Amino acid sequence: MEIVFASNNLNKIREINNVLGNSFKLLSLKDICMEEDIPENEATLEGNALLKARFIHNATGMNVFADDTGLETEALNGDPGVHSARFAGENKDSEANIDKLLALLEKKTSRKARFRTVIALILDGKEHLFEGIVEGEIITERRGKMGFGYDPVFLPEGRKLTFAEMDLDEKNKISHRARAFAGLKAFLSEYASEKKSTPYYNK
Ligand code: IMP
């Protein structure tokens, strides 16, 4: 079964392709020749993920899923949240985003934070949502060189290493994205096996 991942991020596509196995043929936006900018201006992660998935589904009629991720902090009432990529400005500068976050948290007592990924799936015309969360805290100084985004200042709960000090395999065992995609994978696998076992004649 063909399914579109509404993304052109090759790392994410490769990661998800590995996870989904061969019951599904994963197509990127490039594969379906959709190279225009997909709107991403909703106020929630759920809204954005659905907006992207609906945009592709309405344009192509295909099965599709889209993801959206944010870093949510307790002291800032969930910010940067849906604004994580552009927290310090339109150019999506991770270093500036971290500087802004550290400055805003400087005098706060709580440094609790979590990454949250939401995936919206449209399969045979029906909408489904999946969520993955990793809890942790924002430390006061950057540690580590791996990963991307807020990884150098995110310390997952119960761990000694920040996301930027872990290799990708280690991060993927506990990450928000891995957890959300595990939910999607379980759902799609069950769906594919039900389809396979449906009798060709139903009275
Ligand atoms: P996206 O929805 O996956 O594009 O994520 C939006 C923004 O959240 C990114 O631009 C990053 O700033 C941040 N982000 C998402 N996932 C991660 C992660 O695994 N580590 C650090 N930052 C992340």
Side-chain angles (χ1 to χ4, degrees):
M1 181 192 288
E2 289 191 335
I3 190 158
V4 179
F5 182 15
S7 172
N8 272 325
N9 179 328
L10 283 182
N11 286 326
K12 278 194 200 172
I13 292 166
R14 209 170 297 129
E15 210 174 289
I16 305 317
N17 226 345
N18 278 347
V19 166
L20 285 185
N22 49 15
S23 298
F24 291 90
K25 181 165 186 242
L26 197 63
L27 303 172
S28 69
L29 291 178
K30 209 168 170 205
D31 293 328
I32 60 164
C33 300
M34 288 280 303
E35 305 215 17
E36 56 193 292
D37 267 352
I38 304 181
E40 218 177 321
N41 47 12
E42 288 286 325
T44 61
L45 299 176
E46 286 78 2
N48 265 343
L50 278 168
L51 190 69
K52 290 188 268 186
R54 286 175 187 155
F55 183 86
I56 300 300
H57 182 70
N58 292 340
T60 64
M62 297 179 79
N63 292 323
V64 56
F65 61 88
D67 69 328
D68 203 32
T69 295
L71 174 70
E72 301 175 334
T73 62
E74 185 175 80
L76 304 176
N77 300 317
D79 273 352
V82 76
H83 309 293
S84 293
R86 296 177 173 81
F87 195 39
E90 277 308 306
N91 53 351
K92 300 188 181 180
D93 179 343
S94 291
E95 293 308 316
N97 287 341
I98 291 179
D99 287 340
K100 180 173 176 181
L101 181 68
L102 292 181
L104 288 172
L105 289 180
E106 206 178 313
K107 295 204 166 59
K108 304 283 184 189
T109 44
S110 167
R111 302 193 68 96
K112 267 183 89 173
R114 62 184 195 170
F115 276 114
R116 194 162 74 89
T117 294
V118 174
I119 299 171
L121 166 71
I122 304 180
L123 189 62
D124 291 342
K126 272 195 166 174
E127 294 180 348
H128 310 267
L129 289 176
F130 304 86
E131 184 186 56
I133 291 175
V134 57
E135 301 281 353
E137 65 177 277
I138 302 301
I139 58 172
T140 53
E141 281 172 11
R142 292 166 170 82
R143 270 175 27 200
K145 296 270 174 253
M146 289 179 271
F148 69 102
Y150 298 88
D151 280 349
V153 291
F154 184 78
L155 183 68
E157 204 169 71
R159 301 291 175 129
K160 292 198 167 63
L161 300 183
T162 66
F163 265 172
E165 294 173 309
M166 291 179 184
D167 61 35
L168 193 57
D169 281 351
E170 199 57 30
K171 179 180 170 187
N172 278 342
K173 282 185 198 150
I174 56 167
S175 88
H176 43 299
R177 208 172 357 267
R179 287 174 175 166
F181 276 103
L184 174 74
K185 185 199 170 192
F187 181 86
L188 287 176
S189 306
E190 198 170 316
Y191 192 86
S193 69
E194 272 171 21
K195 280 220 148 180
K196 265 187 217 142
S197 62
T198 303
Y200 70 91
Y201 177 70
N202 267 326
K203 230 181 157 189

PDB file of all heavy atoms in Angstrom, residues 105-137:
ATOM      1  N   LEU A 105      14.166  31.271  30.893  1.00  0.00           N
ATOM      2  CA  LEU A 105      14.046  30.350  32.038  1.00  0.00           C
ATOM      3  C   LEU A 105      14.959  30.737  33.207  1.00  0.00           C
ATOM      4  O   LEU A 105      14.850  30.150  34.289  1.00  0.00           O
ATOM      5  CB  LEU A 105      14.365  28.915  31.606  1.00  0.00           C
ATOM      6  CG  LEU A 105      13.338  28.219  30.710  1.00  0.00           C
ATOM      7  CD1 LEU A 105      13.797  26.805  30.371  1.00  0.00           C
ATOM      8  CD2 LEU A 105      11.955  28.158  31.386  1.00  0.00           C
ATOM      9  N   GLU A 106      15.831  31.722  32.979  1.00  0.00           N
ATOM     10  CA  GLU A 106      16.883  32.020  33.955  1.00  0.00           C
ATOM     11  C   GLU A 106      16.366  32.198  35.381  1.00  0.00           C
ATOM     12  O   GLU A 106      16.910  31.643  36.318  1.00  0.00           O
ATOM     13  CB  GLU A 106      17.656  33.270  33.507  1.00  0.00           C
ATOM     14  CG  GLU A 106      19.067  33.273  34.050  1.00  0.00           C
ATOM     15  CD  GLU A 106      19.839  34.495  33.570  1.00  0.00           C
ATOM     16  OE1 GLU A 106      19.789  34.801  32.367  1.00  0.00           O
ATOM     17  OE2 GLU A 106      20.468  35.142  34.426  1.00  0.00           O
ATOM     18  N   LYS A 107      15.268  32.946  35.534  1.00  0.00           N
ATOM     19  CA  LYS A 107      14.802  33.227  36.899  1.00  0.00           C
ATOM     20  C   LYS A 107      13.608  32.361  37.318  1.00  0.00           C
ATOM     21  O   LYS A 107      12.999  32.591  38.355  1.00  0.00           O
ATOM     22  CB  LYS A 107      14.432  34.711  37.003  1.00  0.00           C
ATOM     23  CG  LYS A 107      15.641  35.612  36.819  1.00  0.00           C
ATOM     24  CD  LYS A 107      15.466  36.981  37.464  1.00  0.00           C
ATOM     25  CE  LYS A 107      16.772  37.727  37.573  1.00  0.00           C
ATOM     26  NZ  LYS A 107      17.466  37.967  36.290  1.00  0.00           N
ATOM     27  N   LYS A 108      13.290  31.374  36.494  1.00  0.00           N
ATOM     28  CA  LYS A 108      12.129  30.522  36.810  1.00  0.00           C
ATOM     29  C   LYS A 108      12.549  29.379  37.734  1.00  0.00           C
ATOM     30  O   LYS A 108      13.694  28.900  37.651  1.00  0.00           O
ATOM     31  CB  LYS A 108      11.540  29.936  35.524  1.00  0.00           C
ATOM     32  CG  LYS A 108      11.156  30.974  34.493  1.00  0.00           C
ATOM     33  CD  LYS A 108       9.868  31.660  34.860  1.00  0.00           C
ATOM     34  CE  LYS A 108       9.453  32.627  33.755  1.00  0.00           C
ATOM     35  NZ  LYS A 108       8.340  33.481  34.130  1.00  0.00           N
ATOM     36  N   THR A 109      11.608  28.945  38.561  1.00  0.00           N
ATOM     37  CA  THR A 109      11.957  27.845  39.460  1.00  0.00           C
ATOM     38  C   THR A 109      11.829  26.487  38.759  1.00  0.00           C
ATOM     39  O   THR A 109      12.635  25.589  38.979  1.00  0.00           O
ATOM     40  CB  THR A 109      11.073  27.856  40.723  1.00  0.00           C
ATOM     41  OG1 THR A 109       9.736  28.103  40.311  1.00  0.00           O
ATOM     42  CG2 THR A 109      11.543  28.886  41.730  1.00  0.00           C
ATOM     43  N   SER A 110      10.816  26.344  37.911  1.00  0.00           N
ATOM     44  CA  SER A 110      10.667  25.064  37.219  1.00  0.00           C
ATOM     45  C   SER A 110      11.418  25.077  35.895  1.00  0.00           C
ATOM     46  O   SER A 110      11.305  26.008  35.106  1.00  0.00           O
ATOM     47  CB  SER A 110       9.187  24.786  36.931  1.00  0.00           C
ATOM     48  OG  SER A 110       9.086  23.710  36.012  1.00  0.00           O
ATOM     49  N   ARG A 111      12.192  24.014  35.661  1.00  0.00           N
ATOM     50  CA  ARG A 111      12.862  23.857  34.359  1.00  0.00           C
ATOM     51  C   ARG A 111      12.319  22.617  33.656  1.00  0.00           C
ATOM     52  O   ARG A 111      12.906  22.106  32.708  1.00  0.00           O
ATOM     53  CB  ARG A 111      14.383  23.776  34.555  1.00  0.00           C
ATOM     54  CG  ARG A 111      14.938  25.012  35.278  1.00  0.00           C
ATOM     55  CD  ARG A 111      16.432  25.098  35.208  1.00  0.00           C
ATOM     56  NE  ARG A 111      16.924  25.351  33.864  1.00  0.00           N
ATOM     57  CZ  ARG A 111      17.243  26.569  33.394  1.00  0.00           C
ATOM     58  NH1 ARG A 111      17.094  27.633  34.142  1.00  0.00           N
ATOM     59  NH2 ARG A 111      17.702  26.708  32.169  1.00  0.00           N
ATOM     60  N   LYS A 112      11.154  22.160  34.144  1.00  0.00           N
ATOM     61  CA  LYS A 112      10.537  20.958  33.542  1.00  0.00           C
ATOM     62  C   LYS A 112      10.139  21.218  32.092  1.00  0.00           C
ATOM     63  O   LYS A 112       9.603  22.293  31.770  1.00  0.00           O
ATOM     64  CB  LYS A 112       9.282  20.576  34.322  1.00  0.00           C
ATOM     65  CG  LYS A 112       9.534  19.568  35.424  1.00  0.00           C
ATOM     66  CD  LYS A 112       8.260  19.172  36.103  1.00  0.00           C
ATOM     67  CE  LYS A 112       7.644  17.979  35.397  1.00  0.00           C
ATOM     68  NZ  LYS A 112       6.477  17.447  36.136  1.00  0.00           N
ATOM     69  N   ALA A 113      10.385  20.229  31.243  1.00  0.00           N
ATOM     70  CA  ALA A 113      10.055  20.388  29.821  1.00  0.00           C
ATOM     71  C   ALA A 113       9.764  19.018  29.224  1.00  0.00           C
ATOM     72  O   ALA A 113      10.119  17.984  29.815  1.00  0.00           O
ATOM     73  CB  ALA A 113      11.227  21.019  29.090  1.00  0.00           C
ATOM     74  N   ARG A 114       9.116  19.039  28.086  1.00  0.00           N
ATOM     75  CA  ARG A 114       8.926  17.776  27.372  1.00  0.00           C
ATOM     76  C   ARG A 114       8.909  18.052  25.879  1.00  0.00           C
ATOM     77  O   ARG A 114       8.514  19.141  25.446  1.00  0.00           O
ATOM     78  CB  ARG A 114       7.622  17.099  27.785  1.00  0.00           C
ATOM     79  CG  ARG A 114       6.383  17.905  27.466  1.00  0.00           C
ATOM     80  CD  ARG A 114       5.160  17.201  28.007  1.00  0.00           C
ATOM     81  NE  ARG A 114       3.954  17.768  27.412  1.00  0.00           N
ATOM     82  CZ  ARG A 114       2.741  17.261  27.536  1.00  0.00           C
ATOM     83  NH1 ARG A 114       2.548  16.184  28.250  1.00  0.00           N
ATOM     84  NH2 ARG A 114       1.722  17.818  26.952  1.00  0.00           N
ATOM     85  N   PHE A 115       9.382  17.073  25.128  1.00  0.00           N
ATOM     86  CA  PHE A 115       9.182  17.115  23.685  1.00  0.00           C
ATOM     87  C   PHE A 115       7.921  16.334  23.383  1.00  0.00           C
ATOM     88  O   PHE A 115       7.685  15.263  23.948  1.00  0.00           O
ATOM     89  CB  PHE A 115      10.341  16.423  22.944  1.00  0.00           C
ATOM     90  CG  PHE A 115      11.532  17.300  22.712  1.00  0.00           C
ATOM     91  CD1 PHE A 115      12.745  17.023  23.328  1.00  0.00           C
ATOM     92  CD2 PHE A 115      11.464  18.388  21.846  1.00  0.00           C
ATOM     93  CE1 PHE A 115      13.853  17.820  23.104  1.00  0.00           C
ATOM     94  CE2 PHE A 115      12.566  19.188  21.609  1.00  0.00           C
ATOM     95  CZ  PHE A 115      13.768  18.905  22.243  1.00  0.00           C
ATOM     96  N   ARG A 116       7.120  16.876  22.466  1.00  0.00           N
ATOM     97  CA  ARG A 116       5.890  16.176  22.096  1.00  0.00           C
ATOM     98  C   ARG A 116       5.773  16.160  20.571  1.00  0.00           C
ATOM     99  O   ARG A 116       5.903  17.200  19.922  1.00  0.00           O
ATOM    100  CB  ARG A 116       4.683  16.890  22.709  1.00  0.00           C
ATOM    101  CG  ARG A 116       3.391  16.068  22.662  1.00  0.00           C
ATOM    102  CD  ARG A 116       2.389  16.644  23.659  1.00  0.00           C
ATOM    103  NE  ARG A 116       1.819  17.879  23.186  1.00  0.00           N
ATOM    104  CZ  ARG A 116       0.718  17.974  22.437  1.00  0.00           C
ATOM    105  NH1 ARG A 116       0.058  16.885  22.085  1.00  0.00           N
ATOM    106  NH2 ARG A 116       0.264  19.148  22.055  1.00  0.00           N
ATOM    107  N   THR A 117       5.571  14.977  20.020  1.00  0.00           N
ATOM    108  CA  THR A 117       5.329  14.830  18.578  1.00  0.00           C
ATOM    109  C   THR A 117       3.898  14.365  18.361  1.00  0.00           C
ATOM    110  O   THR A 117       3.429  13.449  19.051  1.00  0.00           O
ATOM    111  CB  THR A 117       6.274  13.763  17.960  1.00  0.00           C
ATOM    112  OG1 THR A 117       7.611  14.236  18.050  1.00  0.00           O
ATOM    113  CG2 THR A 117       5.938  13.490  16.504  1.00  0.00           C
ATOM    114  N   VAL A 118       3.231  14.988  17.412  1.00  0.00           N
ATOM    115  CA  VAL A 118       1.891  14.544  17.009  1.00  0.00           C
ATOM    116  C   VAL A 118       1.947  14.144  15.535  1.00  0.00           C
ATOM    117  O   VAL A 118       2.543  14.849  14.718  1.00  0.00           O
ATOM    118  CB  VAL A 118       0.850  15.666  17.208  1.00  0.00           C
ATOM    119  CG1 VAL A 118      -0.502  15.240  16.635  1.00  0.00           C
ATOM    120  CG2 VAL A 118       0.707  16.005  18.682  1.00  0.00           C
ATOM    121  N   ILE A 119       1.365  12.995  15.239  1.00  0.00           N
ATOM    122  CA  ILE A 119       1.264  12.553  13.845  1.00  0.00           C
ATOM    123  C   ILE A 119      -0.204  12.489  13.472  1.00  0.00           C
ATOM    124  O   ILE A 119      -1.015  11.911  14.214  1.00  0.00           O
ATOM    125  CB  ILE A 119       1.880  11.144  13.656  1.00  0.00           C
ATOM    126  CG1 ILE A 119       3.362  11.158  14.027  1.00  0.00           C
ATOM    127  CG2 ILE A 119       1.709  10.666  12.208  1.00  0.00           C
ATOM    128  CD1 ILE A 119       3.977   9.775  14.063  1.00  0.00           C
ATOM    129  N   ALA A 120      -0.548  13.086  12.343  1.00  0.00           N
ATOM    130  CA  ALA A 120      -1.914  12.972  11.808  1.00  0.00           C
ATOM    131  C   ALA A 120      -1.847  12.053  10.599  1.00  0.00           C
ATOM    132  O   ALA A 120      -1.030  12.253   9.700  1.00  0.00           O
ATOM    133  CB  ALA A 120      -2.430  14.347  11.390  1.00  0.00           C
ATOM    134  N   LEU A 121      -2.704  11.038  10.629  1.00  0.00           N
ATOM    135  CA  LEU A 121      -2.755  10.064   9.526  1.00  0.00           C
ATOM    136  C   LEU A 121      -4.131  10.148   8.866  1.00  0.00           C
ATOM    137  O   LEU A 121      -5.150  10.195   9.571  1.00  0.00           O
ATOM    138  CB  LEU A 121      -2.552   8.655  10.101  1.00  0.00           C
ATOM    139  CG  LEU A 121      -2.894   7.464   9.197  1.00  0.00           C
ATOM    140  CD1 LEU A 121      -1.867   7.317   8.073  1.00  0.00           C
ATOM    141  CD2 LEU A 121      -2.951   6.166  10.016  1.00  0.00           C
ATOM    142  N   ILE A 122      -4.160  10.184   7.547  1.00  0.00           N
ATOM    143  CA  ILE A 122      -5.443  10.037   6.833  1.00  0.00           C
ATOM    144  C   ILE A 122      -5.328   8.764   6.002  1.00  0.00           C
ATOM    145  O   ILE A 122      -4.510   8.671   5.083  1.00  0.00           O
ATOM    146  CB  ILE A 122      -5.760  11.251   5.940  1.00  0.00           C
ATOM    147  CG1 ILE A 122      -5.752  12.532   6.776  1.00  0.00           C
ATOM    148  CG2 ILE A 122      -7.134  11.065   5.268  1.00  0.00           C
ATOM    149  CD1 ILE A 122      -6.043  13.805   6.001  1.00  0.00           C
ATOM    150  N   LEU A 123      -6.112   7.768   6.403  1.00  0.00           N
ATOM    151  CA  LEU A 123      -6.023   6.450   5.771  1.00  0.00           C
ATOM    152  C   LEU A 123      -7.419   6.052   5.296  1.00  0.00           C
ATOM    153  O   LEU A 123      -8.358   6.021   6.103  1.00  0.00           O
ATOM    154  CB  LEU A 123      -5.495   5.442   6.809  1.00  0.00           C
ATOM    155  CG  LEU A 123      -5.122   4.066   6.309  1.00  0.00           C
ATOM    156  CD1 LEU A 123      -3.985   4.112   5.291  1.00  0.00           C
ATOM    157  CD2 LEU A 123      -4.699   3.178   7.483  1.00  0.00           C
ATOM    158  N   ASP A 124      -7.539   5.771   4.025  1.00  0.00           N
ATOM    159  CA  ASP A 124      -8.847   5.472   3.419  1.00  0.00           C
ATOM    160  C   ASP A 124      -9.882   6.511   3.832  1.00  0.00           C
ATOM    161  O   ASP A 124     -11.016   6.169   4.204  1.00  0.00           O
ATOM    162  CB  ASP A 124      -9.298   4.046   3.782  1.00  0.00           C
ATOM    163  CG  ASP A 124      -8.419   3.003   3.105  1.00  0.00           C
ATOM    164  OD1 ASP A 124      -7.721   3.350   2.120  1.00  0.00           O
ATOM    165  OD2 ASP A 124      -8.400   1.852   3.557  1.00  0.00           O
ATOM    166  N   GLY A 125      -9.475   7.765   3.847  1.00  0.00           N
ATOM    167  CA  GLY A 125     -10.392   8.883   4.107  1.00  0.00           C
ATOM    168  C   GLY A 125     -10.668   9.173   5.574  1.00  0.00           C
ATOM    169  O   GLY A 125     -11.345  10.135   5.899  1.00  0.00           O
ATOM    170  N   LYS A 126     -10.128   8.333   6.501  1.00  0.00           N
ATOM    171  CA  LYS A 126     -10.382   8.550   7.938  1.00  0.00           C
ATOM    172  C   LYS A 126      -9.166   9.171   8.605  1.00  0.00           C
ATOM    173  O   LYS A 126      -8.030   8.777   8.300  1.00  0.00           O
ATOM    174  CB  LYS A 126     -10.664   7.211   8.628  1.00  0.00           C
ATOM    175  CG  LYS A 126     -12.099   6.801   8.618  1.00  0.00           C
ATOM    176  CD  LYS A 126     -12.266   5.680   9.625  1.00  0.00           C
ATOM    177  CE  LYS A 126     -13.718   5.430   9.944  1.00  0.00           C
ATOM    178  NZ  LYS A 126     -13.858   4.260  10.804  1.00  0.00           N
ATOM    179  N   GLU A 127      -9.427  10.083   9.579  1.00  0.00           N
ATOM    180  CA  GLU A 127      -8.318  10.753  10.262  1.00  0.00           C
ATOM    181  C   GLU A 127      -7.983  10.085  11.602  1.00  0.00           C
ATOM    182  O   GLU A 127      -8.890   9.694  12.340  1.00  0.00           O
ATOM    183  CB  GLU A 127      -8.694  12.217  10.520  1.00  0.00           C
ATOM    184  CG  GLU A 127      -8.834  13.009   9.236  1.00  0.00           C
ATOM    185  CD  GLU A 127      -9.197  14.470   9.466  1.00  0.00           C
ATOM    186  OE1 GLU A 127      -9.565  14.838  10.599  1.00  0.00           O
ATOM    187  OE2 GLU A 127      -9.095  15.240   8.486  1.00  0.00           O
ATOM    188  N   HIS A 128      -6.700   9.965  11.898  1.00  0.00           N
ATOM    189  CA  HIS A 128      -6.237   9.375  13.165  1.00  0.00           C
ATOM    190  C   HIS A 128      -5.073  10.217  13.684  1.00  0.00           C
ATOM    191  O   HIS A 128      -4.278  10.715  12.887  1.00  0.00           O
ATOM    192  CB  HIS A 128      -5.719   7.948  12.950  1.00  0.00           C
ATOM    193  CG  HIS A 128      -6.659   7.070  12.177  1.00  0.00           C
ATOM    194  ND1 HIS A 128      -7.588   6.264  12.775  1.00  0.00           N
ATOM    195  CD2 HIS A 128      -6.815   6.907  10.838  1.00  0.00           C
ATOM    196  CE1 HIS A 128      -8.275   5.611  11.841  1.00  0.00           C
ATOM    197  NE2 HIS A 128      -7.830   5.981  10.658  1.00  0.00           N
ATOM    198  N   LEU A 129      -4.960  10.334  15.033  1.00  0.00           N
ATOM    199  CA  LEU A 129      -3.838  11.070  15.625  1.00  0.00           C
ATOM    200  C   LEU A 129      -3.013  10.156  16.523  1.00  0.00           C
ATOM    201  O   LEU A 129      -3.573   9.309  17.225  1.00  0.00           O
ATOM    202  CB  LEU A 129      -4.349  12.245  16.471  1.00  0.00           C
ATOM    203  CG  LEU A 129      -4.949  13.440  15.730  1.00  0.00           C
ATOM    204  CD1 LEU A 129      -5.489  14.462  16.744  1.00  0.00           C
ATOM    205  CD2 LEU A 129      -3.941  14.103  14.815  1.00  0.00           C
ATOM    206  N   PHE A 130      -1.696  10.326  16.503  1.00  0.00           N
ATOM    207  CA  PHE A 130      -0.777   9.587  17.370  1.00  0.00           C
ATOM    208  C   PHE A 130       0.112  10.595  18.086  1.00  0.00           C
ATOM    209  O   PHE A 130       0.423  11.644  17.531  1.00  0.00           O
ATOM    210  CB  PHE A 130       0.090   8.625  16.546  1.00  0.00           C
ATOM    211  CG  PHE A 130      -0.732   7.674  15.730  1.00  0.00           C
ATOM    212  CD1 PHE A 130      -1.190   8.049  14.469  1.00  0.00           C
ATOM    213  CD2 PHE A 130      -1.096   6.441  16.234  1.00  0.00           C
ATOM    214  CE1 PHE A 130      -1.986   7.197  13.723  1.00  0.00           C
ATOM    215  CE2 PHE A 130      -1.899   5.587  15.498  1.00  0.00           C
ATOM    216  CZ  PHE A 130      -2.347   5.962  14.232  1.00  0.00           C
ATOM    217  N   GLU A 131       0.517  10.248  19.319  1.00  0.00           N
ATOM    218  CA  GLU A 131       1.309  11.193  20.099  1.00  0.00           C
ATOM    219  C   GLU A 131       2.498  10.469  20.731  1.00  0.00           C
ATOM    220  O   GLU A 131       2.388   9.309  21.138  1.00  0.00           O
ATOM    221  CB  GLU A 131       0.421  11.753  21.222  1.00  0.00           C
ATOM    222  CG  GLU A 131       1.059  12.810  22.055  1.00  0.00           C
ATOM    223  CD  GLU A 131       0.175  13.208  23.241  1.00  0.00           C
ATOM    224  OE1 GLU A 131      -0.207  12.318  24.039  1.00  0.00           O
ATOM    225  OE2 GLU A 131      -0.127  14.396  23.367  1.00  0.00           O
ATOM    226  N   GLY A 132       3.629  11.148  20.812  1.00  0.00           N
ATOM    227  CA  GLY A 132       4.798  10.604  21.516  1.00  0.00           C
ATOM    228  C   GLY A 132       5.395  11.700  22.377  1.00  0.00           C
ATOM    229  O   GLY A 132       5.546  12.836  21.925  1.00  0.00           O
ATOM    230  N   ILE A 133       5.712  11.351  23.646  1.00  0.00           N
ATOM    231  CA  ILE A 133       6.214  12.359  24.589  1.00  0.00           C
ATOM    232  C   ILE A 133       7.478  11.841  25.256  1.00  0.00           C
ATOM    233  O   ILE A 133       7.560  10.653  25.604  1.00  0.00           O
ATOM    234  CB  ILE A 133       5.147  12.648  25.678  1.00  0.00           C
ATOM    235  CG1 ILE A 133       3.953  13.392  25.056  1.00  0.00           C
ATOM    236  CG2 ILE A 133       5.727  13.454  26.842  1.00  0.00           C
ATOM    237  CD1 ILE A 133       2.799  13.621  26.001  1.00  0.00           C
ATOM    238  N   VAL A 134       8.459  12.714  25.462  1.00  0.00           N
ATOM    239  CA  VAL A 134       9.565  12.393  26.367  1.00  0.00           C
ATOM    240  C   VAL A 134       9.690  13.553  27.354  1.00  0.00           C
ATOM    241  O   VAL A 134       9.787  14.707  26.967  1.00  0.00           O
ATOM    242  CB  VAL A 134      10.887  12.095  25.610  1.00  0.00           C
ATOM    243  CG1 VAL A 134      11.342  13.234  24.716  1.00  0.00           C
ATOM    244  CG2 VAL A 134      12.000  11.745  26.602  1.00  0.00           C
ATOM    245  N   GLU A 135       9.643  13.189  28.641  1.00  0.00           N
ATOM    246  CA  GLU A 135       9.717  14.200  29.703  1.00  0.00           C
ATOM    247  C   GLU A 135      11.178  14.471  30.046  1.00  0.00           C
ATOM    248  O   GLU A 135      12.034  13.592  29.897  1.00  0.00           O
ATOM    249  CB  GLU A 135       9.016  13.692  30.973  1.00  0.00           C
ATOM    250  CG  GLU A 135       7.551  13.335  30.812  1.00  0.00           C
ATOM    251  CD  GLU A 135       6.613  14.536  30.813  1.00  0.00           C
ATOM    252  OE1 GLU A 135       7.085  15.676  31.078  1.00  0.00           O
ATOM    253  OE2 GLU A 135       5.418  14.347  30.543  1.00  0.00           O
ATOM    254  N   GLY A 136      11.442  15.660  30.570  1.00  0.00           N
ATOM    255  CA  GLY A 136      12.813  15.982  30.964  1.00  0.00           C
ATOM    256  C   GLY A 136      12.914  17.376  31.537  1.00  0.00           C
ATOM    257  O   GLY A 136      11.934  17.911  32.059  1.00  0.00           O
ATOM    258  N   GLU A 137      14.119  17.948  31.431  1.00  0.00           N
ATOM    259  CA  GLU A 137      14.304  19.323  31.921  1.00  0.00           C
ATOM    260  C   GLU A 137      15.287  20.066  31.035  1.00  0.00           C
ATOM    261  O   GLU A 137      16.073  19.450  30.301  1.00  0.00           O
ATOM    262  CB  GLU A 137      14.803  19.314  33.365  1.00  0.00           C
ATOM    263  CG  GLU A 137      16.180  18.700  33.507  1.00  0.00           C
ATOM    264  CD  GLU A 137      16.691  18.753  34.943  1.00  0.00           C
ATOM    265  OE1 GLU A 137      17.220  19.796  35.337  1.00  0.00           O
ATOM    266  OE2 GLU A 137      16.537  17.733  35.639  1.00  0.00           O
TER     267      GLU A 137
END
